[in-house]
Amino acid sequence: MDKASTDSYPDRFMWGVSTAAYQIEGAVTEDGRGPSVWDTFCAEPGKVADGGSGAVACDHYHRYREDVALMRELGVDAYRFSIAWPRVVPGGTGEVNAAGLDFYDRLVDELCEAGITPVPTLFHWDTPQALEDRGGWLVRDTAYHFADYAASVAGRLGDRIDQWITINEPREVTLLGYALGVHAPGRTGMFEALPAAHHQLLGHGLAVQALRSAGAGQVGIAVSHSPTWSAGPGAEDTEAAAAFDTLNNWLFADPLLTGAYPADFAELMPVQDGDLAAIGARLDWYGVNYYGPTRVGAGSGESDEVDGVPVPEGLPFSFPPIEDVPQTGFGWPVVPGGLTEMLLTLRERYGDRLPPVMITENGCSYADAPDAAGRILDRRRIDYLDAHLAAMRDAMDKGVDVHGYFLWSLLDNFEWAAGFEQRFGLVHVDYESQARTPKESFHWYARHIAGSRG
Ligand code: BGC
Ligand code: BGC
C-alpha cells in the first residue's frame, strides 16, 4: 500500500514535471543560439565527470513532440521547462533572435494542444557567454539585461502563458558557479561571489516588474531549500549549523519574502536604493526545490565533500554524513521528513508573508537500466516519490498551503558536472539511439495523478 494516499488533494492541485533547457535540448549551435557559460565550461577538460556536455543531451529541440506526447500519457497538468536566454538573446543584450523564440512558440503550442499548462523558467543557469565575459552575475548590468530578455519572452509568449518562474536556484549559481567553481562559470571567488547572489535576486525583482507590465498572471521563483541539521548538541556545532543555515537558506529566502537580508550579510551585499523593494515584491507563489537535508558541524577537514560537492579547505564547517538512511545514486541522503520540516520551517519563519508554495523540484537519481525484457523497474525511485509525496501531504495537513508538485525530472538528462551518469528521469533515455522508455515510476506517477482526481 502506498504511503502517499491520493485522496484529499485540493481540487486544483497542479501535478507536473520539470526540466531545464541546457540539460535536455541539445542543438546548441542551431537557429542562431549564442554560446552559454555551460558550453564553455563543458569544453574545459576535467570539469564534467564523464566529459559530457549539453551539446546533444536528449535532443529535445528536435524531439519535443514526442516528449509532450509522453507528458500527455503521464497525465500531468503542467510542464516546467526553461527558456535558454542565449537562444533568445544570443549576445546577452541587444538583438533578439526570432528563430530562438520560434522554438518555444512551437513547444508552447504543442503543450496547449495537449492540455498541459506551460510553466517556463527564464533562467536555469545558462548565462550567455557574452555577458559572462563582462563579469556575468558579478556585475549589476546583468540584472537589467535579464529583465529586458524577460520582457522579450513575455512579448512573444505571454498570450499563452499565465505562470512564470524567473530564476532557478540562485544559491547554486552563487555557490557552485561563482564561489567554488564546480559549476559554470567556474569562478572560485569564495565570499567575493556574494554580489552574484544580489544581482540574481535583483534580476528576479526587475523581471517580476517586466512580466507584470506585460500582463503576466502568476509569477514565482524556484529556490533550493535544505534543512540544516546540527552535527551535535554542543554550542560549537549548533552555532556552525545556524551560520550555514543562513548562508544556505535565508540569504535567499529572507530578501524575497521580507525585503531584507539576514543581518550578517546585509553589509556585504552591493544593495542600491530600491533594490530590496523590487526583490521583496509580493510573489504569487514561492517555489521550493527539495532534495534532502544537510548535516553541519563546527571545524573543518573532517569531510572533503558534501552531496558530491568538494568542500574547500579553511571553511569553518564540517559536513558529517547523515547515517542510517538510504542514499540516492548521487549519495544524497533520502529523508522525506526533511521536506515536511522545511515547509513547516518556512511557514513558521515567514507566516503570512509566505505566499502559496509550489514544489518546483523533487526527485532522485538512480541509474536503473532496462532488464532483459526491456523494462526499467526503478523501485527505489517509486519509494522515494511515494514517501516525499506523503511528507508533502503531511505539511499540507499541518497548514502549509501547497498548490502544486513538479517532479524532477521527466527525462534522464545532462546532470551538470556529473554528466550523464546520474539519471533523474521518469523516462529512461538511451543517449546513443535517443530512445525514450518510460520507467516503472512513470506508470506509478501516472496512477498517482489519476487517483488524486478521483
Ligand atoms: C541540494 C540540491 C543541490 C545539490 C548539489 C543538494 O543537497 O538540495 O539543491 O543541487 O545538493 O549541490
Ligand atoms: C537543479 C537541477 C538539477 C537537480 C538535481 C537542482 O539543483 O535545479 O537542474 O538537475 O537539482 O541535481
Side-chain angles (χ1 to χ4, degrees):
M1 172 71 186
D2 289 342
K3 287 191 214 71
S5 92
T6 46
D7 44 59
S8 79
Y9 277 101
D11 267 356
R12 286 166 188 256
F13 192 84
M14 195 179 250
W15 293 107
V17 281
S18 284
T19 64
Y22 191 73
Q23 295 181 269
I24 63 167
E25 285 178 358
V28 290
T29 55
E30 261 172 79
D31 297 329
R33 178 187 178 277
S36 81
V37 291
W38 272 96
D39 299 289
T40 311
F41 188 75
C42 293
E44 261 182 72
K47 296 294 185 191
V48 175
D50 51 10
S53 81
V56 177
C58 307
D59 195 31
H60 171 79
Y61 194 77
H62 301 113
R63 295 169 196 262
Y64 68 94
R65 286 202 175 84
E66 186 182 348
D67 295 336
V68 173
L70 283 165
M71 285 185 266
R72 191 205 278 253
E73 191 185 331
L74 189 56
V76 287
D77 302 298
Y79 175 41
R80 175 183 174 225
F81 59 100
S82 85
I83 293 178
W85 186 353
R87 281 197 199 285
V88 178
V89 192
T93 172
E95 210 178 317
V96 173
N97 174 32
L101 278 168
D102 288 347
F103 169 67
Y104 299 104
D105 202 76
R106 294 193 293 273
L107 173 64
V108 166
D109 280 348
E110 190 77 12
L111 289 164
C112 292
E113 250 168 66
I116 299 169
T117 302
V119 185
T121 302
L122 288 165
F123 176 65
H124 199 128
W125 304 359
D126 43 2
T127 314
Q129 182 61 44
L131 290 184
E132 192 57 44
D133 294 342
R134 304 189 204 168
W137 288 107
L138 294 172
V139 303
R140 189 175 170 90
D141 280 353
T142 299
Y144 293 91
H145 298 320
F146 178 67
D148 289 344
Y149 149 69
S152 303
V153 176
R156 178 73 180 274
L157 304 177
D159 57 335
R160 282 151 293 158
I161 289 177
D162 181 53
Q163 315 244 6
W164 299 87
I165 299 174
T166 54
I167 285 185
N168 178 70
E169 296 191 348
R171 175 186 89 186
E172 273 62 14
V173 172
T174 306
L175 187 72
L176 305 179
Y178 286 89
L180 302 178
V182 295
H183 276 190
R187 300 199 194 216
T188 53
M190 295 306 290
F191 278 87
E192 280 161 32
L194 285 174
H198 182 67
H199 295 138
Q200 285 177 87
L201 291 168
L202 178 62
H204 155 81
L206 298 172
V208 170
Q209 291 170 5
L211 292 169
R212 287 191 172 143
S213 329
Q218 311 230 325
V219 188
I221 183 170
V223 183
S224 54
H225 280 294
S226 178
T228 312
W229 292 356
S230 177
E236 279 193 6
D237 282 338
T238 51
E239 277 163 28
F244 190 80
D245 199 22
T246 303
L247 191 59
N248 214 25
N249 289 303
W250 316 130
L251 180 62
F252 299 93
D254 279 7
L256 290 164
L257 298 175
T258 72
Y261 282 110
D264 295 350
F265 286 91
E267 294 289 298
L268 301 171
M269 291 297 195
V271 177
Q272 297 189 12
D273 277 356
D275 288 5
L276 287 166
I279 295 168
R282 176 110 193 148
L283 295 173
D284 298 291
W285 48 266
Y286 184 74
V288 172
N289 293 358
Y290 173 81
Y291 289 93
T294 312
R295 191 156 174 250
V296 183
S300 60
E302 289 147 49
S303 43
D304 50 10
E305 64 160 57
V306 55
D307 293 342
V309 175
V311 177
E313 279 172 44
L315 273 194
F317 304 113
S318 63
F319 299 92
I322 295 173
E323 278 149 356
D324 303 323
V325 298
Q327 293 188 345
T328 70
F330 239 140
W332 296 356
V334 177
V335 185
L339 175 56
T340 318
E341 177 188 331
M342 196 68 233
L343 293 172
L344 292 174
T345 303
L346 285 165
R347 171 76 202 165
E348 204 172 294
R349 186 175 179 96
Y350 300 112
D352 291 339
R353 302 182 78 157
L354 181 69
V357 169
M358 290 276 199
I359 306 300
T360 32
E361 282 182 32
N362 175 236
C364 52
S365 60
Y366 289 111
D368 298 301
D371 66 14
R375 293 190 313 164
I376 298 139
L377 300 174
D378 55 339
R379 188 68 228 178
R380 291 171 298 178
R381 176 168 292 99
I382 294 174
D383 289 344
Y384 180 101
L385 296 173
D386 187 32
H388 282 76
L389 288 172
M392 173 181 76
R393 283 285 304 277
D394 191 15
M396 291 165 76
D397 291 343
K398 292 178 171 139
V400 184
D401 188 16
V402 182
H403 280 201
Y405 176 90
F406 290 79
L407 191 155
W408 185 272
S409 181
L410 173 67
L411 304 169
D412 290 340
N413 59 47
F414 176 69
E415 179 50 36
W416 309 114
F420 293 98
E421 287 163 10
Q422 300 298 331
R423 292 176 175 268
F424 278 87
L426 291 176
V427 175
H428 180 272
V429 177
D430 175 333
Y431 296 111
E432 294 288 313
S433 65
Q434 291 294 344
R436 272 92 161 125
T437 310
K439 304 178 189 176
E440 205 53 33
S441 57
F442 177 98
H443 304 296
W444 180 88
Y445 192 42
R447 284 195 301 274
H448 186 83
I449 295 171
S452 80
R453 298 205 178 103

